[in-house]
Amino acid sequence: MAEQLKAVKGMNDILPPDSARWEWLEEKVRALMQRYGYQNLRTPIVEPTPLFVRGLGEVTDIVEKEMYSFEDSMNGDRLTLRPENTAGVVRAVVEHSLLYDGGKRIYYMGPMFRHERPQRGRYRQFHQIGAEALGFAGPDVDAELILMCRALWQDLGLADVRLELNSLGQPDERRAHREALINYFEQHRDQLDAEAQRRLHSNPLRILDTKNPAMQALVEAAPKLMDYLGEASLAHLDAVRAVLDANGVPYRINPRLVRGMDYYNLTVFEWVTDRLGSQGTVCGGGRYDYLIEQIGGKPAPAVGWALGMERVLELLKELGTARAPKAPDVYAVVPGPQALAAAMKTVEALREQGVAVLMHAAGKDGWGSMKSQFKKADASGARVALVFGDDELARGEVAVKPLRDAGAAQSTRTLADVAAWAAELRAA
Ligand code: ATP
Ligand code: MG
């Protein structure tokens, strides 16, 4: 036998029946986006490397150590598997002038790639769902995006996620804070790890986002950006809070919350849970009013969020809200190949009427006895078996055998008028 090949480390196959949970989540999200007026945008998985270097910031975890970057062997272009999708959405919006007639509300779903140490809730290929509102400046849209998340948790039956909120202010406010931060960390240089030492002058704000437990106390006592915010920034935050309060959305102001990319300003937020260990951030987002300009577009404000699908599904499992996969309505039992033509004609007619039919098919050991077919019918979860026996077919009929109700009697239906009885087989 040939050597068996395995998936790349940290990249997972999503198998049935688990994939049904993914589809269910995607359906809930599509319905949500429809309700809030967000439209789907799909960007390529591969983008020019400079998009992320410029967009996310050079001194960030993603750009420094997590990107899958390579050279196109045909022409030497520097390319990267997208580590996130906000930069790609902004590139597409600018490239196609989507903001020419006003703001746009956009959503996406799909795989992202980061070269991290694989562990529960942290993979090298993972999946995000994200929403972006581009071209809108007001705090109302920040609040709308947060309310959407709350609505999604409700739709999913997801409890145990709480909202943390902060403001990163504006670049000039950040400059004053940055000075204070560098001063503070310089006084505690001995407590900084190597990464923090390196970032001390290039990007001290990033130190606040450290995952090093040994530095948490130091970070906790660092100067707070909140204390450097001017009136306009505070008013923006207050307006977001007012909408959240009016809608009964609880939150905690977390002055340490800075997010992992450089593109954020003003509102930032995260939805977190204690149930997923150190991978507790389920969703994160914020305002990024300068990114569009940075990627070469006409200056325009924007705000958005992204959630990790693996983490959301993991949390649902943890909470015991796992969903049973959808079973077929009908399993078609066929004694032998002589019945196939008639059986498959009927099965097609049923499917046309919206009935989900799983058709028996031969395995490598042949067609299978009636007994083994009924076993498969049972295991499929179907409510009834349609039995295309030779005698029934000779009379132009098929037998209907209930599988879930031991007392129910078998009956027959006429093949000629499938439409008349299809509805009774269809799931309610
Ligand atoms: P973390 O702090 O856990 O590394 P992050 O700040 O890097 O997360 P974002 O870039 O904000 O994450 O991405 C938004 C969401 O995508 C995260 O809240 C998380 O749910 C999910 N996510 C990010 N990286 C991964 C990964 N490697 N594997 C699985 N999910 C991820
Ligand atoms: Mg990360």
Side-chain angles (χ1 to χ4, degrees), residues 362-380:
K364 66 181 189 335
D365 299 323
W367 196 255
S369 66
M370 291 296 268
K371 192 173 160 213
S372 77
Q373 289 196 40
F374 274 113
K375 236 186 186 161
K376 287 209 165 84
D378 249 335
S380 76

Side-chain angles (χ1 to χ4, degrees), residues 10 15 32 38 41 51 53 70 84 101 154 157 184 186 195 224 236 247 254 262 265 290 303 317 333 340 345 360:
L15 308 173
L32 175 87
Y38 284 64
L41 176 67
L51 173 66
V53 177
F70 56 98
E84 57 89 78
D101 61 347
Q154 282 174 348
Y184 169 81
E186 263 177 346
E195 183 178 85
K224 295 184 175 64
H236 190 100
N247 282 279
N254 175 2
D262 285 351
N265 69 300
Y290 305 98
V303 50
K317 229 184 220 168
V333 171
L340 271 180
K345 184 167 178 238
H360 181 76

